[in-house]
Amino acid sequence: AADGSQAWRLTNVPTKISKTDPTPYSGILHPQFNHRGDKVLYTYTSSPGTDLFGDWEMRIADFHAPPIARVDHDNAKIYEPGEKKHWYESHCWTKDDSEIYFSFSPNENQDDCTMDIGVLDLASGNYENLTDSWQQEGFAWDGQSAWDEHAYLSSDGNLLAYMSSNGFPMKLSNDAERLKWRSEWLISELWWMDPAIKTPIQATYFNDPTAPEFIGENKNIIGLVPNWNPETTAIVLQCGVRNLDPVTKKIIDVTYDLKIVWLDLDQNGLRDADETDCGDGICASDEAADSCPRDCLLGDISIIKKFAAHGSFSPDDTQIVVDRPKLDRFYDLYIIDLEGNIIQSLTDGNPLVNQRGNSWPVWQAFFRQAVHRVSFSLQGFIKKRKDCMGFYLLDLSDVSLRFSG
């Protein structure tokens, strides 16, 4: 039974929670446990900064399991790779926990809207750009730069899926244009690459009227957040949809749908090895991305839940934890099945979990502990917009569901 009889808060970082609150801006974004379950990667800010997204840094902190149940935020190790130590967003760990993937703007004067995907070796501190499609701040779009974000590694470590605006126009000439990324100009698709080869390939064509997965007239996909299932056979994909007035072409609103993207596998569960389909479906190092068939790895795509976001598969591949908005426009966490049916709520009405908004869940099973955990962030106010101010934990045991925050 989900009686909420135990509750733990993992961080306690004060932050501004209303426009009139005198508390300084601060926040924690995208917490990700490592595979051992003893450390947490996240992004932290204590300053609104002067640029579009504020000033952030990546941190890795020790996690102390219950009954202590806390993240050692004050003693966390700080990581700020690149020349421009300013904008970071944590995404995931490699299988052996030796490297981390993230988004950043590593070059001096780089426009943060043209962020790249990076990988950092934790032992050496060396980093590498996996995408390199950026331009300097203050100029009109150069026709090549792109917004690359939300990079997540498959469970077998062979595929890195991420969101990219590659090929779509951007408005970057001034701050007024850049601030309209959500309402006017950002359009994106799902891309992936073999991180060892580093050749990107476009996986979806939601914005292409000739593609079977076309999202529809007067709509744009503005943001995508992929999350792999443990078997590396599917991705649960959050799609942010910009809905436009058919006459004025101005934005009406932004809604969120969850889709499952199935990979094209053979009868033995292996990726298609047909030579005409680029081998394993990833372009070889000497192949141009446009020379690979667009469907060499992509299988079926289906909507499983409308008005839901940030899905994460259960360790047994049978359920997904999602967040959904309430009438107050804040979010709560729910478990759904693969058909999109809600099984139960995890946070709505639970008196031991803050009701300001619970979002960005990640469902993990740690090999050292016989427990499944869902980490998630709490929404607050940063730079007059909803963002994340801390994070919490739900423990899902085999016998009962316990809230832990």
Side-chain angles (χ1 to χ4, degrees):
D3 58 7
S5 59
Q6 297 187 57
W8 304 291
R9 182 171 180 166
L10 299 187
T11 58
N12 190 14
V13 179
T15 191
K16 184 182 290 293
I17 60 173
S18 71
K19 296 177 182 179
T20 58
D21 187 344
T23 307
Y25 290 106
S26 64
I28 288 174
L29 193 64
H30 300 319
Q32 300 283 339
F33 281 95
N34 66 354
H35 295 85
R36 292 180 61 85
D38 59 358
K39 294 186 182 297
V40 182
L41 164 70
Y42 57 96
T43 314
Y44 170 69
T45 182
S46 58
S47 168
T50 58
D51 211 332
L52 186 65
F53 302 121
D55 288 334
W56 296 81
E57 64 191 27
M58 290 189 295
R59 292 193 174 200
I60 293 181
D62 290 337
F63 170 65
H64 301 276
I68 299 174
R70 69 179 177 87
V71 170
D72 195 358
H73 172 73
D74 292 335
N75 296 310
K77 188 169 182 179
I78 297 172
Y79 295 89
E80 296 178 294
E83 298 173 356
K84 185 180 180 182
K85 303 182 186 304
H86 164 73
W87 163 244
Y88 302 93
E89 191 173 86
S90 51
H91 295 320
C92 67
W93 302 73
T94 54
K95 285 182 65 177
D96 62 1
D97 293 333
S98 66
E99 297 176 325
I100 56 173
Y101 290 94
F102 52 93
S103 298
F104 69 150
S105 301
N107 303 287
E108 288 292 346
N109 302 316
Q110 179 170 351
D111 192 316
D112 288 344
C113 290
T114 63
M115 68 189 82
D116 288 307
I117 305 298
V119 58
L120 174 73
D121 181 87
L122 296 175
S124 68
N126 296 328
Y127 74 92
E128 182 180 6
N129 280 44
L130 297 181
T131 62
D132 192 20
S133 55
W134 66 280
Q135 72 172 57
Q136 285 193 346
E137 193 174 7
F139 294 90
W141 183 55
D142 61 9
Q144 298 180 353
S145 58
W147 179 314
D148 299 320
E149 192 183 11
H150 300 310
Y152 291 91
L153 191 65
S154 61
S155 304
D156 62 11
N158 294 326
L159 281 172
L160 187 73
Y162 63 99
M163 153 193 161
S164 180
S165 69
N166 195 339
F168 294 105
M170 307 173 75
K171 295 183 179 180
L172 305 175
S173 297
N174 53 62
D175 285 348
E177 285 192 341
R178 294 165 74 232
L179 283 168
K180 294 177 182 178
W181 63 268
R182 188 176 188 270
S183 62
E184 289 189 6
W185 58 261
L186 181 61
I187 302 176
S188 62
E189 296 284 359
L190 178 68
W191 287 64
W192 47 38
M193 70 171 72
D194 181 331
I197 298 176
K198 305 179 183 64
T199 302
I201 184 170
Q202 186 172 338
T204 64
Y205 289 77
F206 292 120
N207 301 284
D208 182 350
T210 67
E213 66 265 35
F214 177 50
I215 193 66
E217 297 292 339
N218 302 309
K219 297 177 184 289
N220 304 137
I221 295 290
I222 63 171
L224 297 165
V225 182
N227 208 309
W228 293 90
N229 70 343
E231 298 299 320
T232 313
T233 57
I235 292 173
V236 58
L237 187 66
Q238 173 203 293
C239 296
V241 182
R242 181 190 297 119
N243 300 289
L244 304 176
D245 184 285
V247 177
T248 66
K249 304 301 180 181
K250 300 292 186 180
I251 184 172
I252 298 174
D253 60 11
V254 173
T255 56
Y256 293 91
D257 297 335
L258 279 181
K259 302 178 186 292
I260 290 186
V261 178
W262 295 98
L263 274 64
D264 185 12
L265 305 175
D266 65 20
Q267 61 183 355
N268 298 315
L270 301 175
R271 296 192 190 114
D272 193 341
D274 188 330
E275 290 182 0
T276 63
D277 283 353
C278 322
D280 64 357
I282 299 298
C283 295
S285 57
D286 59 346
E287 288 183 296
D290 58 6
S291 71
C292 289
R294 62 166 300 273
D295 59 350
C296 60
L297 187 58
L298 188 69
D300 185 47
I301 300 177
S302 59
I303 295 179
I304 58 167
K305 197 67 179 175
K306 297 185 72 66
F307 307 111
H310 303 120
S312 181
F313 279 97
S314 64
D316 65 359
D317 272 357
T318 63
Q319 298 173 342
I320 299 172
V321 60
V322 304
D323 58 48
R324 303 185 72 224
K326 299 187 296 184
L327 293 178
D328 60 7
R329 302 188 70 181
F330 285 108
Y331 283 71
D332 272 303
L333 306 188
Y334 299 84
I335 293 179
I336 65 173
D337 61 23
L338 300 190
E339 301 299 321
N341 302 304
I342 294 178
I343 298 174
Q344 69 179 105
S345 167
L346 298 180
T347 59
D348 189 11
N350 177 13
L352 298 180
V353 176
N354 195 302
Q355 298 297 299
R356 291 287 295 183
N358 302 301
S359 185
W360 289 90
V362 179
W363 198 335
Q364 291 174 290
F366 304 139
F367 72 80
R368 293 195 310 161
Q369 298 148 320
V371 63
H372 296 171
R373 288 187 173 136
V374 176
S375 61
F376 62 99
S377 303
L378 172 70
Q379 294 175 337
F381 286 89
I382 292 184
K383 296 190 74 173
K384 298 183 180 180
R385 62 186 177 87
K386 286 184 287 185
D387 217 311
C388 302
M389 60 179 288
F391 72 95
Y392 300 77
L393 196 68
L394 296 171
D395 279 7
L396 282 64
S397 70
D398 294 336
V399 178
S400 63
L401 175 66
R402 300 195 312 275
F403 288 99
S404 52

